[in-house]
Amino acid sequence: MTTIAHGRPLEGRHAIVTGGARGIGLAIARRYLAAGASVALWDVEAAALADAVQQLAPLGTAISALVDVRDEDQVARGASQAQENFGRIDILVNNAGVLGPTVTAWEHTPAQWRQVLDINLTGAWLCCRAVVPVMLAQQQRGRIVNIASVAGKEGNGFNAAYSASKAGLIALTKSLGKELAASGVLVNCITPSAADTAVFAGVPAEHREQLRSALLARVPMGRFVEVDEVAAMAAWLASDDCSFSTGAVFDISGGRSMY
C-alpha cells in the first residue's frame, strides 16, 4: 500500500526545472520549494534567472545555471552541476519552450521550424538523455515531468511547429515511460491549454489579441489556465503519491480536451 504524503511531500528531493526563470517553470519551482525540494533553475536569460533565484531564496535552496537545452554540452554541464550541488537528481521538469511564428504551416521558414522543434522536443530529449542515467544509477526512484500542450493533441492553426513539437513531446513521454516502467523512474506529461504568460510577448502585436481571443474561445471554462494550477499538477506527478502512472498524459485545459 502506498503511503499518502502530506505536508512537505517533496522533502529531501532535488529537482531540475528547465525554462525556470518565469511563467510556468517559475511557478513549478516555487511549488517544489514549498513542498520541501531543492531546485536547480535552467534558463538562457541570465538577468531573469538571477531575479528568479532572488524571489525563491526565502523558500529554500534554489540554484541556477545558464543552459540552452539545444546544446548537448550545456545540458551535460548543467546536470553535472546539479548532481554536484545536491548529491542526486530526483526530478526533471522539461518546461523550456517557445511558441514560434504565428503563420500558416507553409509560411514557416526552415530555420523557424527547426528552432521550435530543437527547443521544445529535442531539448527535452537531450535533458532526459543527460539525467536518466543519473536517476538509474541512484537505483531508487525518479520523476520526469514534461510540459507539453493541448496543442499537441489537437493541433493549433497557425502554430504548426509548436503543435508538432508538443505532439512529439507527448510521444517521447509515452516511449520513455514504457522503457523505464520497471525502474522506479516515472515519466508523465501535462497538456495545459494556454496560460497568459510571457509566451505571448513573442507574438507580433497585430496578432496577439487575435491569438488570445482564439485560444480562449476553445476553452469551455472561458479563461486561461493559471500557472499555479499547472504547478500543482507537476508537484503531484513528482511526488510519491504518483506511484502507478507512467507514460501518461494529464490534461489541464478547462474542458477543451478530455483525453
Side-chain angles (χ1 to χ4, degrees), residues 69-212:
V69 295
R70 296 172 293 182
D71 188 308
E72 179 183 347
D73 292 335
Q74 289 185 32
V75 169
R77 284 196 298 270
S80 295
Q81 180 192 46
Q83 190 175 13
E84 289 168 9
N85 275 273
F86 298 145
R88 56 186 295 113
I89 301 171
D90 300 289
I91 304 160
L92 168 65
V93 180
N94 284 308
N95 170 70
V98 294
L99 183 61
T102 307
V103 297
T104 61
W106 61 91
E107 291 174 312
H108 284 66
T109 68
Q112 289 170 334
W113 181 273
R114 292 189 189 102
Q115 181 191 38
V116 175
L117 271 291
D118 283 350
I119 295 171
N120 295 2
L121 178 56
T122 303
W125 169 72
L126 285 172
C127 292
C128 291
R129 182 174 179 268
V131 171
V132 165
V134 176
M135 291 181 172
L136 291 176
Q138 291 164 178
Q139 296 183 334
Q140 292 185 36
R141 52 92 78 193
R143 299 289 188 271
I144 297 173
V145 182
N146 293 324
I147 308 301
S149 168
V150 69
K153 295 179 174 183
E154 299 187 345
N156 282 348
F158 304 96
N159 285 121
Y162 180 79
S163 300
S165 71
K166 294 301 187 177
L169 188 55
I170 291 170
L172 175 63
T173 299
K174 291 178 176 293
S175 294
L176 193 58
K178 289 180 172 68
E179 292 167 0
L180 294 171
S183 72
V185 178
L186 306 184
V187 188
N188 294 289
C189 73
I190 301 173
T191 53
S193 56
D196 197 4
T197 66
V199 70
F200 285 108
V203 178
E206 64 269 24
H207 298 303
R208 195 174 303 146
E209 285 308 312
Q210 181 182 2
L211 177 62
R212 292 176 85 257

Side-chain angles (χ1 to χ4, degrees), residues 44-59:
V44 294
E45 298 184 31
L49 268 177
D51 182 62
V53 169
Q54 186 175 15
Q55 289 182 50
L56 297 174
L59 298 177

Side-chain angles (χ1 to χ4, degrees), residues 9-10 13 32 91 141 143 145 233-240 242:
L10 301 182
R13 307 298 188 193
Y32 282 7
I91 304 160
R141 52 92 78 193
R143 299 289 188 271
V145 182
M233 186 171 284
W236 180 77
L237 288 172
S239 75
D240 288 338
C242 177

